Amino acid sequence: MTTKSSPTPWVDGPFSLIETPSVKIKSDHFYLKAASEMTHAHNVLIRSLNAILRQGPHIPTSTDPKYCAKDVTDFLNYVRCWVQMVHHHHWVEEEFIFPEMDKFSGKPGLMDEPRHQHELFQAGLTNLESYSINTKPEKFEWKGAQGMEHIIDSFSEDLTGHLYGEIEVLLTLSDLDSEEFKKTWLKAETIAKQSGNLKLLACGEDFPPFPWFMPYLAHYAFAVRNGSWRFNPCDFWGKPRPLAFVNNNASED
């Protein structure tokens, strides 16, 4: 697998994170806020993918003396949640953000390139979702032609390339009307919250913004009974924590 290199041992690799545009660019135009918020959303997806890639090789399989069916089940569920989060993110883009931007800009096809890029990795995501749902714990494999790593390798370059590239597209839109851009974005956030879920809250960069109480509600309602959360690289309040599986050593929930 060819990936972006990272010198850190946590989840800033193997795929590199995107630098927030507002760190270097100063502007009151809403295009910059949109690009920066989308960067946060994409970095959530990238960090969670990195968490899967870093921990997957260390999940003991059925031939390993340290094998535990619950560990595998929880990991498969974490992967499923990540896939569904990616699906939801792109559904909001395709169903609302991209069409609305076409309308208010007066430029039909403005977002065709990022929309078409979704097609490049859709099949791979669907395969990974199917694997995570249908694989029995004792049949789980990371390596090999039938393993999870092979499925992820089939689409991860296209996915991350899209996540990087879409930010670059947004940064070219400073000529659009700032207020109309803002209205479209706020509507998209509302739609995302109404149709979304609380699958993963990764590293303090949740998109769209949740009400202040939501991380606490999610923590006490779900985390204590869901072992899959231990694979997340951050706790529910966005604080980084050690990965649960490295070098075949599991941490406590």
Side-chain angles (χ1 to χ4, degrees):
M1 177 174 64
T2 302
T3 62
K4 310 291 182 181
S5 62
S6 171
T8 64
W10 188 53
V11 289
D12 294 343
F15 288 103
S16 61
L17 302 178
I18 309 167
E19 183 178 23
T20 305
S22 59
V23 171
K24 286 188 174 182
I25 304 172
K26 302 303 176 185
S27 174
D28 293 332
H29 193 291
F30 197 81
Y31 90 97
L32 182 60
K33 181 175 176 61
S36 297
E37 288 191 354
M38 190 67 83
T39 294
H40 295 329
H42 287 188
N43 280 342
V44 167
L45 302 181
I46 293 170
R47 279 196 178 100
S48 298
L49 174 59
N50 286 341
I52 293 169
L53 291 170
R54 288 212 184 278
Q55 295 177 95
H58 305 299
I59 307 297
T61 58
S62 59
T63 58
D64 191 311
K66 296 180 180 179
Y67 167 75
C68 173
K70 186 178 187 305
D71 290 341
V72 178
T73 298
D74 289 346
F75 182 66
L76 290 170
N77 185 56
Y78 182 81
V79 172
R80 177 182 61 82
C81 288
W82 175 78
V83 172
Q84 292 176 351
M85 184 168 68
V86 177
H87 281 322
H88 177 258
H89 178 75
H90 290 141
W91 176 84
V92 173
E93 290 181 336
E94 291 184 1
E95 293 298 316
F96 186 78
I97 294 179
F98 293 166
E100 287 299 310
M101 289 179 67
D102 283 356
K103 290 179 185 177
F104 86 76
S105 69
K107 300 177 181 179
L110 177 68
M111 302 301 291
D112 275 358
E113 182 177 357
R115 181 187 291 110
H116 293 326
Q117 287 174 355
H118 290 178
E119 301 170 6
L120 299 176
F121 50 81
Q122 184 61 42
L125 274 174
T126 299
N127 288 341
L128 182 60
E129 182 176 31
S130 177
Y131 185 92
S132 67
I133 292 172
N134 297 318
T135 300
K136 302 293 185 183
E138 64 273 15
K139 297 295 183 180
F140 168 77
E141 296 289 343
W142 179 257
K143 293 289 186 180
Q146 304 301 317
M148 181 179 285
E149 182 184 46
H150 180 73
I151 299 174
I152 295 175
D153 282 355
S154 73
F155 70 86
S156 56
E157 289 284 351
D158 287 327
L159 171 62
T160 54
H162 161 73
L163 297 177
Y164 303 143
E166 188 171 280
I167 305 305
E168 296 302 318
V169 172
L170 291 173
L171 289 174
T172 68
L173 304 180
S174 61
D175 61 323
L176 299 184
D177 183 88
S178 182
E179 284 303 312
E180 289 300 318
F181 207 145
K182 182 177 181 179
K183 289 178 184 177
T184 294
W185 208 257
L186 294 178
K187 288 179 183 178
E189 287 185 352
T190 299
I191 289 173
K193 284 187 284 189
Q194 290 174 343
S195 61
N197 47 47
L198 292 171
K199 295 298 184 185
L200 301 172
L201 297 180
C203 312
E205 294 181 333
D206 46 308
F207 175 84
F210 292 106
W212 66 269
F213 61 84
M214 200 61 76
Y216 297 87
L217 176 62
H219 175 75
Y220 292 113
F222 305 117
V224 294
R225 294 188 295 272
N226 187 350
S228 298
W229 289 104
R230 57 186 158 144
F231 295 97
N232 216 39
C234 292
D235 63 22
F236 279 76
W237 293 273
K239 294 181 180 179
R241 65 183 184 185
L243 296 179
F245 281 80
V246 260
N247 298 326
N248 290 330
N249 292 317
S251 69
E252 297 294 325
D253 280 354

